[in-house]
Amino acid sequence: MNRPLSGVRVIGLEQYMAGPYCTLLLADAGAEVIKIERPGRGDPRRAMPPFAEKNGIKKAAGFMGYNRNKKSIALNLQTIEGQQIFRDLAAKSDVIVENLRPGAMDKIGLNYDNLCRANSRLIWALISGFGQLDGYRGPYSNRPAFDIVAEAMSGIMHQVGFADKPPSWTIYGMADIYTGMVTAYGIMQALFMRERTGKGQLVDSSMFDNMLSLNESMVALHSVAGQSPARGNPKVLFPRGAFKTKDGYIALNVPDNIIWKRLCKAMNRGDMIEDARCTTGVERAANADYIQPIIENWLLYLTREEAVSKLNDCGVPTGPVNTAEDIFSDPHVQARGLLMTIKDHEVGEYEFARSPLFLSDAPNIPTNPAPSLGQNTLEILTDLLGYSETKIEALGQSGIIDSQNKPMTTPKN
C-alpha cells in the first residue's frame, strides 16, 4: 500500500527550516523529495550544532531531523549548465518548494513564470517573509526574514511574557514550522485543484501572513471589542497559565464558568463560585491577585501527577509542563509512537518527532535518514534525467555537480 503522496515528485530549493519542514511533511506523506544543495557546503543547517558524532563524522541534529526521507543533489545553480539541469528536473516534477531570499531565483531566470511554460502542471510553493504574489505585494515584500521577525511583526511577541518584562519569543523556529505546515496545506490544495483543471499554480506563503492568521484572537478582540491584548495582563479570563506544584508546574486554563465551578469544587472552595469577585471571566481577571494565591497554596500540597489526576477527574483539562526528559519517558508519547527512531549507519540511532497526523488506511511513515550531501546526484542524473556517464563526469570535473557519497563533515574546534 502506498502513502498518500506516492508518485508525487517534489524539488526542494530550501534551506534552514521553513522549506525543509514543508518538504519533510511531503516526504513523510510519501512524496519523492529531491533536495537541491550547493556543492561543497549544502544546506547551512548541516554545519549548525548540536552534532551527532561517531568515528570523526559529524552530522547536525537540526539537519537530521528536518531532512529524513529525502534525496540530495549537489548542484551549482550559478552556472548555465546547472540551470539547465534544474530546468530538466522541473520538467519532470510536480512541485517545487522555494524558501530562498526573495528574488534569488528571478535573477537567474528560474522562476515559476518561466518554468511553467515547459510544465503547465507544475506547482511552485514560494515561501518568503512577507509575500511575493503579484497584485498582493506590500512595502515589506523584498525584505528577508527570520522566525522571530514574523513573531514580532504579527503581534505575537507583544503578548508573550510578563507585563514588567520585555516582549519574548515563543519557541525557536515557531514561525518557520507553522509556515512549513501551512505551505504543505497550500500545496495539497493546489494538487487537488490540478486534478480538476490539469494546471499547476503558484502557492504564495508568507511567514508574516501565517503568524498573523495564527494570532486571530488578537485580531478579533481588537476588531470587536477595541482591545489590544498585552502580555501578563489578562482582561477577559482567568486563571490561565503555569501554576507551581510540589515538584513542578502544571498548565491551567479556565475559559468559562463551567470549568470555574469544577475547579472550585476540586479545591473544596465552593464559596468562590458565587463570590462577586469570581462570577465572570472579566471579574476573575480583574481580581487575579486575590484568586492566584488561593490556587497556588492549594497546589503546593500536591505533586504534578496528583494535581493533574485530581483536576482531570473533576473535568478541568490540565497537563504537566513537561521537560524534554518528561517527553521521552511519557507513556502516551510512547503509545502513540510520536518519537520516530531513525537509524543512520554512520552516526548511530536517534529519535525525532513524528509528523503529527495518523491515517487509518495508510502505511507507516518511512524512516530513511537524512541524505549526505550529493548522495543521490548520480542516481537522479542517470535514472531520472537520462544523462550519459560522459556528461556526468564532465559536470563533476567542472564543479557543477557534486556526487560525493559521504556526509558533509564540519571542522573540529
Side-chain angles (χ1 to χ4, degrees), residues 302-348:
L302 301 172
T303 65
R304 282 195 311 171
E305 184 176 352
E306 290 169 343
V308 168
S309 177
K310 184 175 183 64
L311 288 167
N312 277 293
D313 287 346
C314 291
V316 181
T318 313
V321 178
N322 282 333
T323 64
E325 290 79 6
D326 293 329
I327 293 293
F328 273 71
S329 61
D330 189 292
H332 187 80
V333 172
Q334 296 172 2
R336 293 280 290 174
L338 299 181
L339 299 181
M340 293 177 60
T341 300
I342 303 293
K343 298 179 180 179
D344 187 294
H345 71 281
E346 291 172 311
V347 295

Short mmCIF file of all heavy atoms in Angstrom, two decimals, residues 302-348:
data_model
loop_
_atom_site.label_atom_id
_atom_site.label_comp_id
_atom_site.label_asym_id
_atom_site.label_seq_id
_atom_site.Cartn_x
_atom_site.Cartn_y
_atom_site.Cartn_z
N LEU A 302 0.34 19.36 46.56
CA LEU A 302 0.14 18.28 45.59
C LEU A 302 1.34 18.16 44.66
O LEU A 302 1.98 19.17 44.33
CB LEU A 302 -1.11 18.53 44.74
CG LEU A 302 -2.45 18.67 45.48
CD1 LEU A 302 -3.52 19.11 44.50
CD2 LEU A 302 -2.82 17.35 46.14
N THR A 303 1.64 16.95 44.21
CA THR A 303 2.63 16.77 43.16
C THR A 303 1.97 17.08 41.81
O THR A 303 0.74 17.19 41.73
CB THR A 303 3.16 15.33 43.13
OG1 THR A 303 2.09 14.45 42.79
CG2 THR A 303 3.76 14.94 44.48
N ARG A 304 2.79 17.20 40.78
CA ARG A 304 2.22 17.41 39.44
C ARG A 304 1.25 16.30 39.09
O ARG A 304 0.14 16.55 38.60
CB ARG A 304 3.34 17.44 38.38
CG ARG A 304 4.10 18.71 38.29
CD ARG A 304 4.91 18.79 37.01
NE ARG A 304 5.69 17.59 36.75
CZ ARG A 304 6.34 17.34 35.60
NH1 ARG A 304 6.27 18.20 34.61
NH2 ARG A 304 7.04 16.25 35.43
N GLU A 305 1.67 15.06 39.31
CA GLU A 305 0.83 13.92 38.95
C GLU A 305 -0.48 13.94 39.73
O GLU A 305 -1.56 13.68 39.17
CB GLU A 305 1.59 12.62 39.22
CG GLU A 305 0.84 11.38 38.79
CD GLU A 305 1.65 10.11 38.97
OE1 GLU A 305 2.85 10.21 39.30
OE2 GLU A 305 1.08 9.02 38.80
N GLU A 306 -0.42 14.26 41.04
CA GLU A 306 -1.63 14.30 41.85
C GLU A 306 -2.56 15.41 41.39
O GLU A 306 -3.78 15.21 41.29
CB GLU A 306 -1.25 14.50 43.32
CG GLU A 306 -0.57 13.30 43.95
CD GLU A 306 0.02 13.62 45.31
OE1 GLU A 306 0.20 14.83 45.63
OE2 GLU A 306 0.33 12.67 46.06
N ALA A 307 -2.01 16.58 41.10
CA ALA A 307 -2.83 17.71 40.67
C ALA A 307 -3.48 17.44 39.33
O ALA A 307 -4.68 17.71 39.14
CB ALA A 307 -1.97 18.97 40.60
N VAL A 308 -2.71 16.93 38.38
CA VAL A 308 -3.25 16.63 37.05
C VAL A 308 -4.35 15.59 37.14
O VAL A 308 -5.41 15.72 36.52
CB VAL A 308 -2.12 16.17 36.11
CG1 VAL A 308 -2.69 15.57 34.83
CG2 VAL A 308 -1.20 17.33 35.77
N SER A 309 -4.13 14.56 37.93
CA SER A 309 -5.13 13.50 38.07
C SER A 309 -6.41 14.02 38.71
O SER A 309 -7.52 13.77 38.22
CB SER A 309 -4.54 12.35 38.90
OG SER A 309 -5.50 11.34 39.09
N LYS A 310 -6.26 14.78 39.79
CA LYS A 310 -7.43 15.28 40.51
C LYS A 310 -8.23 16.24 39.65
O LYS A 310 -9.47 16.16 39.57
CB LYS A 310 -6.98 15.96 41.80
CG LYS A 310 -8.13 16.43 42.69
CD LYS A 310 -7.61 16.99 44.00
CE LYS A 310 -8.77 17.41 44.92
NZ LYS A 310 -9.59 16.25 45.33
N LEU A 311 -7.56 17.16 38.97
CA LEU A 311 -8.25 18.16 38.17
C LEU A 311 -8.93 17.54 36.96
O LEU A 311 -10.08 17.89 36.63
CB LEU A 311 -7.27 19.25 37.73
CG LEU A 311 -6.83 20.19 38.87
CD1 LEU A 311 -5.65 21.04 38.45
CD2 LEU A 311 -8.00 21.08 39.31
N ASN A 312 -8.25 16.64 36.28
CA ASN A 312 -8.88 15.98 35.13
C ASN A 312 -10.07 15.13 35.57
O ASN A 312 -11.08 15.07 34.86
CB ASN A 312 -7.86 15.14 34.37
CG ASN A 312 -7.04 15.95 33.40
OD1 ASN A 312 -7.55 16.46 32.41
ND2 ASN A 312 -5.76 16.12 33.69
N ASP A 313 -9.97 14.48 36.73
CA ASP A 313 -11.10 13.71 37.24
C ASP A 313 -12.30 14.60 37.53
O ASP A 313 -13.45 14.15 37.44
CB ASP A 313 -10.69 12.97 38.52
CG ASP A 313 -9.77 11.79 38.25
OD1 ASP A 313 -9.66 11.38 37.08
OD2 ASP A 313 -9.14 11.30 39.21
N CYS A 314 -12.04 15.87 37.83
CA CYS A 314 -13.12 16.82 38.11
C CYS A 314 -13.58 17.55 36.86
O CYS A 314 -14.42 18.46 36.94
CB CYS A 314 -12.66 17.83 39.16
SG CYS A 314 -12.44 17.14 40.81
N GLY A 315 -13.02 17.19 35.70
CA GLY A 315 -13.44 17.82 34.45
C GLY A 315 -12.74 19.11 34.13
O GLY A 315 -13.25 19.91 33.34
N VAL A 316 -11.56 19.32 34.74
CA VAL A 316 -10.76 20.51 34.45
C VAL A 316 -9.56 20.07 33.62
O VAL A 316 -8.62 19.48 34.15
CB VAL A 316 -10.28 21.20 35.75
CG1 VAL A 316 -9.47 22.45 35.41
CG2 VAL A 316 -11.46 21.53 36.65
N PRO A 317 -9.57 20.32 32.29
CA PRO A 317 -8.46 19.87 31.44
C PRO A 317 -7.13 20.48 31.91
O PRO A 317 -6.99 21.71 31.96
CB PRO A 317 -8.84 20.37 30.05
CG PRO A 317 -10.33 20.53 30.11
CD PRO A 317 -10.62 20.98 31.51
N THR A 318 -6.20 19.66 32.28
CA THR A 318 -4.94 20.10 32.86
C THR A 318 -3.83 19.15 32.44
O THR A 318 -4.06 17.95 32.23
CB THR A 318 -5.01 20.12 34.40
OG1 THR A 318 -6.21 20.76 34.82
CG2 THR A 318 -3.83 20.84 35.01
N GLY A 319 -2.63 19.67 32.31
CA GLY A 319 -1.49 18.83 31.99
C GLY A 319 -0.23 19.38 32.62
O GLY A 319 -0.16 20.56 32.99
N PRO A 320 0.80 18.54 32.76
CA PRO A 320 2.06 19.00 33.33
C PRO A 320 2.84 19.85 32.33
O PRO A 320 2.68 19.69 31.12
CB PRO A 320 2.80 17.70 33.63
CG PRO A 320 2.28 16.73 32.61
CD PRO A 320 0.83 17.11 32.41
N VAL A 321 3.65 20.77 32.83
CA VAL A 321 4.59 21.49 31.99
C VAL A 321 5.82 20.61 31.86
O VAL A 321 6.65 20.53 32.76
CB VAL A 321 4.95 22.86 32.60
CG1 VAL A 321 5.97 23.58 31.72
CG2 VAL A 321 3.69 23.71 32.76
N ASN A 322 5.92 19.91 30.74
CA ASN A 322 6.93 18.88 30.58
C ASN A 322 8.28 19.44 30.14
O ASN A 322 8.36 20.42 29.41
CB ASN A 322 6.47 17.85 29.54
CG ASN A 322 5.46 16.87 30.09
OD1 ASN A 322 5.43 16.60 31.29
ND2 ASN A 322 4.62 16.34 29.22
N THR A 323 9.32 18.75 30.57
CA THR A 323 10.66 18.97 30.06
C THR A 323 10.91 17.97 28.94
O THR A 323 10.09 17.07 28.68
CB THR A 323 11.70 18.77 31.16
OG1 THR A 323 11.66 17.38 31.58
CG2 THR A 323 11.42 19.67 32.35
N ALA A 324 12.06 18.08 28.27
CA ALA A 324 12.41 17.11 27.24
C ALA A 324 12.49 15.71 27.83
O ALA A 324 12.04 14.72 27.22
CB ALA A 324 13.75 17.49 26.60
N GLU A 325 13.05 15.60 29.03
CA GLU A 325 13.15 14.29 29.68
C GLU A 325 11.77 13.70 29.94
O GLU A 325 11.55 12.50 29.78
CB GLU A 325 13.93 14.41 31.00
CG GLU A 325 15.41 14.69 30.85
CD GLU A 325 15.71 16.16 30.55
OE1 GLU A 325 14.77 17.00 30.58
OE2 GLU A 325 16.88 16.47 30.27
N ASP A 326 10.82 14.56 30.31
CA ASP A 326 9.46 14.10 30.54
C ASP A 326 8.84 13.54 29.26
O ASP A 326 8.16 12.50 29.28
CB ASP A 326 8.58 15.25 31.05
CG ASP A 326 8.97 15.73 32.44
OD1 ASP A 326 9.46 14.91 33.23
OD2 ASP A 326 8.80 16.94 32.70
N ILE A 327 9.06 14.23 28.15
CA ILE A 327 8.50 13.79 26.87
C ILE A 327 9.03 12.41 26.50
O ILE A 327 8.27 11.52 26.08
CB ILE A 327 8.85 14.80 25.76
CG1 ILE A 327 8.13 16.14 25.99
CG2 ILE A 327 8.50 14.23 24.37
CD1 ILE A 327 6.63 16.06 25.85
N PHE A 328 10.33 12.22 26.65
CA PHE A 328 10.93 10.95 26.23
C PHE A 328 10.49 9.77 27.10
O PHE A 328 10.61 8.63 26.68
CB PHE A 328 12.45 11.07 26.21
CG PHE A 328 13.01 11.60 24.91
CD1 PHE A 328 12.83 12.92 24.56
CD2 PHE A 328 13.69 10.77 24.03
CE1 PHE A 328 13.31 13.42 23.35
CE2 PHE A 328 14.18 11.25 22.81
CZ PHE A 328 13.98 12.59 22.48
N SER A 329 10.00 10.05 28.32
CA SER A 329 9.55 8.96 29.19
C SER A 329 8.03 8.90 29.32
O SER A 329 7.50 8.07 30.05
CB SER A 329 10.16 9.13 30.59
OG SER A 329 9.76 10.36 31.18
N ASP A 330 7.32 9.77 28.59
CA ASP A 330 5.86 9.83 28.71
C ASP A 330 5.22 8.60 28.09
O ASP A 330 5.45 8.29 26.92
CB ASP A 330 5.35 11.10 28.01
CG ASP A 330 3.88 11.35 28.28
OD1 ASP A 330 3.04 10.56 27.79
OD2 ASP A 330 3.56 12.33 28.97
N PRO A 331 4.38 7.87 28.83
CA PRO A 331 3.77 6.65 28.28
C PRO A 331 2.82 6.92 27.12
O PRO A 331 2.67 6.07 26.24
CB PRO A 331 3.02 6.06 29.49
CG PRO A 331 2.79 7.23 30.41
CD PRO A 331 3.98 8.12 30.23
N HIS A 332 2.18 8.09 27.11
CA HIS A 332 1.29 8.41 25.99
C HIS A 332 2.09 8.67 24.72
O HIS A 332 1.69 8.25 23.63
CB HIS A 332 0.43 9.63 26.33
CG HIS A 332 -0.63 9.91 25.32
ND1 HIS A 332 -1.82 9.24 25.26
CD2 HIS A 332 -0.66 10.79 24.28
CE1 HIS A 332 -2.55 9.69 24.26
NE2 HIS A 332 -1.88 10.64 23.64
N VAL A 333 3.20 9.37 24.85
CA VAL A 333 4.09 9.59 23.70
C VAL A 333 4.54 8.26 23.12
O VAL A 333 4.57 8.05 21.90
CB VAL A 333 5.31 10.45 24.11
CG1 VAL A 333 6.33 10.52 22.98
CG2 VAL A 333 4.86 11.86 24.50
N GLN A 334 4.88 7.33 24.01
CA GLN A 334 5.33 6.02 23.56
C GLN A 334 4.20 5.22 22.92
O GLN A 334 4.39 4.57 21.88
CB GLN A 334 5.93 5.26 24.74
CG GLN A 334 7.19 5.91 25.31
CD GLN A 334 7.67 5.28 26.60
OE1 GLN A 334 7.09 4.30 27.08
NE2 GLN A 334 8.72 5.85 27.17
N ALA A 335 3.02 5.28 23.52
CA ALA A 335 1.88 4.53 22.98
C ALA A 335 1.48 5.04 21.60
O ALA A 335 1.10 4.25 20.72
CB ALA A 335 0.69 4.63 23.94
N ARG A 336 1.58 6.35 21.39
CA ARG A 336 1.22 6.94 20.10
C ARG A 336 2.34 6.81 19.07
O ARG A 336 2.11 7.05 17.88
CB ARG A 336 0.88 8.42 20.27
CG ARG A 336 -0.38 8.69 21.06
CD ARG A 336 -1.63 8.52 20.24
NE ARG A 336 -1.78 9.58 19.23
CZ ARG A 336 -2.75 9.59 18.31
NH1 ARG A 336 -3.62 8.60 18.26
NH2 ARG A 336 -2.83 10.58 17.44
N GLY A 337 3.53 6.47 19.51
CA GLY A 337 4.66 6.40 18.58
C GLY A 337 5.06 7.76 18.06
O GLY A 337 5.40 7.90 16.87
N LEU A 338 5.05 8.78 18.92
CA LEU A 338 5.30 10.14 18.47
C LEU A 338 6.77 10.44 18.26
O LEU A 338 7.11 11.48 17.68
CB LEU A 338 4.70 11.13 19.47
CG LEU A 338 3.18 11.03 19.66
CD1 LEU A 338 2.69 12.08 20.64
CD2 LEU A 338 2.45 11.18 18.32
N LEU A 339 7.64 9.57 18.74
CA LEU A 339 9.07 9.73 18.51
C LEU A 339 9.51 8.65 17.54
O LEU A 339 9.37 7.45 17.80
CB LEU A 339 9.85 9.64 19.82
CG LEU A 339 9.51 10.69 20.87
CD1 LEU A 339 10.36 10.48 22.12
CD2 LEU A 339 9.69 12.09 20.32
N MET A 340 10.02 9.07 16.39
CA MET A 340 10.47 8.14 15.35
C MET A 340 11.94 7.80 15.55
O MET A 340 12.76 8.69 15.78
CB MET A 340 10.31 8.76 13.96
CG MET A 340 8.89 8.99 13.52
SD MET A 340 8.84 9.82 11.91
CE MET A 340 9.69 8.62 10.87
N THR A 341 12.26 6.54 15.46
CA THR A 341 13.65 6.12 15.54
C THR A 341 14.25 6.12 14.13
O THR A 341 13.75 5.43 13.24
CB THR A 341 13.77 4.72 16.15
OG1 THR A 341 13.23 4.74 17.48
CG2 THR A 341 15.23 4.28 16.22
N ILE A 342 15.28 6.92 13.94
CA ILE A 342 15.97 7.00 12.66
C ILE A 342 17.37 6.41 12.84
O ILE A 342 18.13 6.86 13.68
CB ILE A 342 16.07 8.45 12.16
CG1 ILE A 342 14.69 9.09 12.06
CG2 ILE A 342 16.81 8.50 10.82
CD1 ILE A 342 13.80 8.49 11.00
N LYS A 343 17.67 5.41 12.04
CA LYS A 343 18.98 4.76 12.11
C LYS A 343 19.87 5.29 11.00
O LYS A 343 19.60 5.08 9.82
CB LYS A 343 18.84 3.24 12.00
CG LYS A 343 18.03 2.61 13.13
CD LYS A 343 17.91 1.10 12.95
CE LYS A 343 17.10 0.48 14.09
NZ LYS A 343 16.95 -0.99 13.91
N ASP A 344 20.93 5.97 11.38
CA ASP A 344 21.93 6.46 10.43
C ASP A 344 23.15 5.56 10.55
O ASP A 344 23.74 5.44 11.64
CB ASP A 344 22.29 7.91 10.74
CG ASP A 344 23.18 8.53 9.68
OD1 ASP A 344 24.33 8.06 9.55
OD2 ASP A 344 22.74 9.47 9.01
N HIS A 345 23.54 4.94 9.44
CA HIS A 345 24.60 3.93 9.53
C HIS A 345 25.95 4.53 9.87
O HIS A 345 26.90 3.79 10.18
CB HIS A 345 24.68 3.14 8.23
CG HIS A 345 25.24 3.89 7.07
ND1 HIS A 345 24.49 4.80 6.35
CD2 HIS A 345 26.48 3.89 6.51
CE1 HIS A 345 25.24 5.32 5.39
NE2 HIS A 345 26.44 4.80 5.47
N GLU A 346 26.07 5.87 9.85
CA GLU A 346 27.36 6.49 10.13
C GLU A 346 27.46 7.11 11.52
O GLU A 346 28.52 7.12 12.13
CB GLU A 346 27.66 7.55 9.07
CG GLU A 346 27.94 6.93 7.71
CD GLU A 346 28.04 7.97 6.60
OE1 GLU A 346 27.14 8.83 6.54
OE2 GLU A 346 29.00 7.91 5.84
N VAL A 347 26.36 7.64 12.04
CA VAL A 347 26.44 8.29 13.34
C VAL A 347 25.54 7.67 14.40
O VAL A 347 25.52 8.12 15.54
CB VAL A 347 26.14 9.81 13.23
CG1 VAL A 347 27.20 10.50 12.41
CG2 VAL A 347 24.75 10.06 12.66
N GLY A 348 24.78 6.64 14.03
CA GLY A 348 24.01 5.93 15.03
C GLY A 348 22.51 6.13 14.95
O GLY A 348 21.97 6.60 13.96
#
